[in-house]
Amino acid sequence: MRFLLMTCVTAVCLSLPLNADETATAKKSETTNKKETAAAKRTLKPVIPVLKISGAISEKPTAEDNPFNFAGAGGESLHSLLQRLDKAKSDESVPAVVLKVEAVMLGRAQLEEVGRALRAFRDAGKTIHVHCDTLSTGEYALLSSASEVSMVPTGYLFITGMYGEQLFIRGLLDKLGVTPDYFTCGDFKSAAEMFMRTEPSEQSAAMSKWLYDGLYDGLLNTIAAGRRVSVEKAGEWIDTGVFTADEALAAGIVDAVEHHHDFEERLRKAYGDEFKFDHNYGRKSGNQIDLSSPFGLMNFYAELLAPSTPRRSTKPGVAIVYLEGSIMDGSGGGNPFIAQAAAFSHVVRKALDEAAEDDAIKAVVFRIDSPGGSAVASEVILNAAKRVAAKKPLVVSMGNVAASGGYYVACGTDTIVAESSTVTGSIGVVSGKFATTKLWNKLGITFTPIQRGRNAALLSSARVFSDSERAALQSYMDATYDVFKGHVQNARGEKLQKPLDDIAGGRVYTGGQALELGLVDKIGGLHDAIAMAAQKADLKAGYDVRVVPRPKNFMELLMDDLSGSGKDSGHLSLTGRLSTTHDTLLQTLLPMLQGVDPVRADQVRHALLQLLVLQNEGVSLSMPPVPKAR
């Protein structure tokens, strides 16, 4: 009772007007507090985050509460890296960041978005320090936005420009005795050329020219803007190509040549002895194991095995739903080599449905990084995206590639954001198969066909298509192509700057070219799309941004595998339909290729996934593989 009375008295006193003396005292107190706050800010010990960008940055985030993510180690997603940079930009204790790069393999759209975040950090009056041993073209394009670039005395730069390869395996197929039989809707639809030809067609060569012209112009502009030189000067650097550290310094490509300990000593003199490097800045702290005590290890195991059910946030927010990899039907069936490179229709549909039904989610960003795949799966995903757009704002954010089926599924909204170097378009259809009889004959194996029905061998690998089979399949492809164009017309409408048939036909564009044609609405990255979605939903500052579905931690994934609950019995499992040859290639050949040449290995994996789609469905919305920046 006494507590309640004191509370009421206090409330009454606070509501009374202050007299003149009290007002003066209050103002003096407020001034004193401001001075103390300012003094506290001045005495903040500087923290310099050390951000490491190594290898490939994933689109999909992993669970932050992964119990084996010790001290924040492990891979990082694009969204996580951008959040850490944004946090450092607004942190008054952070005057600068240090960037470390090692064998970076980012897509060109990812390079653009990270580079834009670095420029925003620098524009906020903060410094970006880079110290490295070597640099490639893509790495230098990314780091050109830094305040200063420093190299070791024996370092070198290979800023040689852009190099890509179109994969053709027709010669191998001929040697094996395999006859490809593919055809397309659209003269520029070149996804099947890797199987049918040993070099690009005239249309494909012309398309590659305009695509690489656009990408190269973007590369030159990025370097020129970052280093504050002319585009012509950036072009001269690239045409020279190879520089020692001293030559790069003399040319103005880097700002200092020094060993790492000299680099660190220079920063200590600049920021004072009390500053510290923070290698885990902005990361959630990982578990710490006390190996000096058996009780510490037992406690870790207890935490590891303890069931946990994270609460679902009820705070208004924007959801990010990811579609990454080749689009395939079903739910995956648990093949890890396919799961890393594929987006399954059932998984993506469930994520979109979850985002649509969650009342706390006020807007959705659909992040797409895919060269396409199954036509049926693309339609399932598009339908789910339309259901989201019918309930709340939906913004599509295109990553490195969002073409063919990747563009198909983007047609669920009228708001599409892409980077200028995003590869998109490829509105067309491809179909075909391999005839393998000659291959088996070389091995001394023969088959005698038995057929009932004129088109019974439509998907058989015994021979190429007959005239009636080709006509039947062409009719289905034409219908699919018309549906595809209908979705594009309905989504883009009067925004298209040319007749749709002049834009479609399998033609591929950069994001900048797509903007001019009306295929996308804005140049920007994932965070731009998030801000746009929040604005459409009238969300104020401080809203949540969360991934749907929530990334599972290690124990949840392990328990799913042990219990089988992660598998979807209501849908077909792709694994059950894989041939032994494809499965062996995916599980044994690709890991070896990845170690020898990861860029080419990714292209081969993409080609194999296209084969799987066609083996299962016969019709594909795919485009040729686009190599990542070297």
Side-chain angles (χ1 to χ4, degrees):
M1 180 65 70
R2 181 176 300 172
F3 172 76
L4 293 175
L5 178 61
M6 290 175 65
T7 303
C8 293
V9 170
T10 302
V12 172
C13 291
L14 289 175
S15 68
L16 293 176
L18 298 174
N19 58 35
D21 291 339
E22 289 172 328
T23 302
T25 302
K27 289 183 177 180
K28 183 177 180 181
S29 176
E30 182 180 353
T31 302
T32 301
N33 289 337
K34 287 182 178 179
K35 289 181 178 179
E36 290 175 349
T37 301
K41 288 180 180 178
R42 287 195 296 270
T43 59
L44 283 174
K45 292 183 179 180
V47 174
I48 299 184
V50 179
L51 306 180
K52 182 178 179 181
I53 305 176
S54 178
I57 290 183
S58 67
E59 285 286 334
K60 296 178 184 176
T62 56
E64 290 187 1
D65 56 350
N66 186 334
F68 288 98
N69 187 23
F70 303 118
E76 183 167 24
S77 70
L78 175 65
H79 183 49
S80 170
L81 177 61
L82 295 174
Q83 282 185 314
R84 294 171 70 201
L85 279 169
D86 192 56
K87 175 181 172 67
K89 182 180 69 173
S90 58
D91 189 338
E92 294 179 352
S93 69
V94 174
V97 296
V98 171
L99 291 183
K100 290 184 175 181
V101 295
E102 291 182 6
V104 173
M105 281 184 60
L106 302 187
R108 291 181 176 85
Q110 290 179 326
L111 285 173
E112 275 195 86
E113 184 154 15
V114 176
R116 187 164 50 249
L118 293 176
R119 289 193 294 275
F121 183 90
R122 190 179 68 181
D123 292 343
K126 302 192 176 188
T127 306
I128 303 170
H129 300 280
V130 173
H131 185 71
C132 53
D133 298 335
T134 63
L135 284 175
S136 66
T137 303
E139 291 168 343
Y140 187 71
L142 173 65
L143 300 178
S144 62
S145 299
S147 308
E148 62 165 33
V149 180
S150 169
M151 294 194 74
V152 298
T154 55
Y156 60 86
L157 291 90
F158 283 2
I159 48 173
T160 54
M162 288 176 51
Y163 177 77
E165 295 177 332
Q166 291 178 266
L167 175 68
F168 297 93
I169 63 171
R170 179 59 189 264
L172 170 64
L173 298 177
D174 288 343
K175 290 178 183 297
L176 294 175
V178 175
T179 304
D181 192 8
Y182 284 80
F183 47 107
T184 65
C185 288
D187 291 339
F188 289 81
K189 190 68 176 178
S190 58
E193 288 191 3
M194 71 177 82
F195 309 127
M196 296 295 292
R197 304 175 61 94
T198 57
E199 60 184 17
S201 65
E202 181 180 345
Q203 292 89 344
S204 177
M207 184 168 63
S208 295
K209 182 179 183 303
W210 78 57
L211 184 66
Y212 269 73
D213 284 347
L215 294 174
Y216 186 60
D217 286 345
L219 175 70
L220 290 176
N221 286 318
T222 296
I223 293 175
R227 297 299 297 178
R228 295 184 171 91
V229 299
S230 67
V231 173
E232 290 74 21
K233 173 61 71 174
E236 289 176 11
W237 290 346
I238 286 177
D239 286 340
T240 301
V242 180
F243 296 84
T244 65
D246 288 333
E247 290 170 343
L249 178 63
I253 300 173
V254 302
D255 305 288
V257 176
E258 58 195 342
H259 286 288
H260 189 73
H261 68 275
D262 296 320
F263 169 74
E264 288 191 357
E265 184 61 28
R266 182 163 58 83
L267 293 191
R268 293 188 194 285
K269 290 180 180 179
Y271 297 104
D273 292 333
E274 292 188 337
F275 95 94
K276 69 172 185 177
F277 291 119
D278 187 348
H279 292 264
N280 294 310
Y281 181 87
R283 290 184 184 270
K284 186 174 181 179
S285 298
N287 294 295
Q288 305 294 328
I289 307 176
D290 180 11
L291 296 178
S292 64
S293 165
F295 296 103
L297 192 58
M298 290 173 62
N299 183 60
F300 168 73
Y301 281 124
E303 291 183 6
L304 182 66
L305 298 174
S308 63
T309 305
R311 290 185 200 168
R312 172 180 287 184
S313 173
T314 58
K315 186 179 179 181
V318 175
I320 307 175
V321 176
Y322 287 91
L323 188 159
E324 184 177 11
S326 296
I327 299 172
M328 307 187 84
D329 192 23
S331 58
N335 188 312
F337 293 96
I338 296 176
Q340 292 174 7
F344 291 94
S345 59
H346 175 58
V347 176
V348 179
R349 177 187 61 78
K350 282 184 65 176
L352 289 168
D353 287 346
E354 180 181 339
E357 296 300 326
D358 190 336
D359 292 334
I361 293 174
K362 304 303 181 183
V364 178
V365 171
F366 190 17
R367 176 70 171 184
I368 301 171
D369 191 355
S370 171
S374 163
V376 175
S378 297
E379 178 65 27
V380 170
I381 295 170
L382 173 62
N383 182 258
K386 288 181 176 180
R387 292 198 300 274
V388 175
K391 291 188 173 184
K392 55 193 68 174
L394 174 67
V395 176
V396 164
S397 171
M398 291 181 168
N400 300 315
V401 180
S404 201
Y407 191 84
Y408 190 107
V409 299
C411 294
T413 179
D414 60 357
T415 308
I416 301 176
V417 180
E419 292 288 2
S420 61
S421 59
T422 295
V423 175
T424 189
S426 192
I427 302 166
V429 184
V430 61
S431 181
K433 66 177 180 178
F434 287 149
T436 60
T437 296
K438 291 181 180 179
L439 167 64
W440 296 114
N441 289 345
K442 288 183 177 183
L443 299 175
I445 300 173
T446 59
F447 298 89
T448 300
I450 304 173
Q451 179 175 335
R452 297 294 183 272
R454 184 171 60 173
N455 297 324
L458 179 70
L459 298 180
S460 169
S461 63
R463 55 169 173 74
V464 298
F465 295 107
S466 67
D467 291 343
S468 64
E469 291 165 351
R470 185 180 295 272
L473 194 53
Q474 184 69 62
S475 177
Y476 173 51
M477 290 172 61
D478 291 341
T480 302
Y481 186 39
D482 287 342
V483 170
F484 194 167
K485 291 192 293 183
H487 287 317
V488 176
Q489 189 67 55
N490 291 335
R492 306 308 301 168
E494 296 180 355
K495 295 181 180 180
L496 296 177
Q497 299 302 304
K498 289 183 178 181
L500 182 54
D501 283 334
D502 293 344
I503 297 174
R507 295 171 176 86
V508 178
Y509 308 100
T510 66
Q513 293 164 347
L515 178 66
E516 295 177 358
L517 293 170
L519 289 172
V520 305
D521 299 289
K522 181 181 178 181
I523 297 299
L526 177 59
H527 278 201
D528 296 307
I530 292 170
M532 183 182 293
Q535 183 180 24
K536 286 177 173 289
D538 294 325
L539 292 175
K540 307 304 179 184
Y543 57 85
D544 269 355
V545 177
R546 53 186 179 272
V547 177
V548 176
R550 176 186 60 82
K552 292 183 178 181
N553 62 33
F554 174 81
M555 283 306 298
E556 289 172 312
L557 293 171
L558 179 62
M559 295 307 294
D560 281 350
D561 286 342
L562 293 176
S563 65
S565 60
K567 297 178 181 178
D568 176 21
S569 59
H571 286 73
L572 287 174
S573 165
L574 186 64
T575 304
R577 295 183 286 173
L578 291 180
S579 71
T580 302
T581 302
H582 289 138
D583 208 21
T584 301
L585 282 170
L586 286 168
Q587 297 194 43
T588 61
L589 177 60
L590 284 181
M592 290 188 291
L593 289 175
Q594 194 73 32
V596 175
D597 189 336
V599 175
R600 285 182 168 177
D602 283 342
Q603 289 181 273
V604 173
R605 178 171 61 175
H606 175 78
L608 290 173
L609 287 172
Q610 283 198 35
L611 289 179
L612 295 182
V613 171
L614 287 165
Q615 174 183 307
N616 290 306
E617 297 188 30
V619 171
S620 172
L621 306 178
S622 298
M623 66 164 291
V626 178
K628 291 185 177 180
R630 295 191 185 220

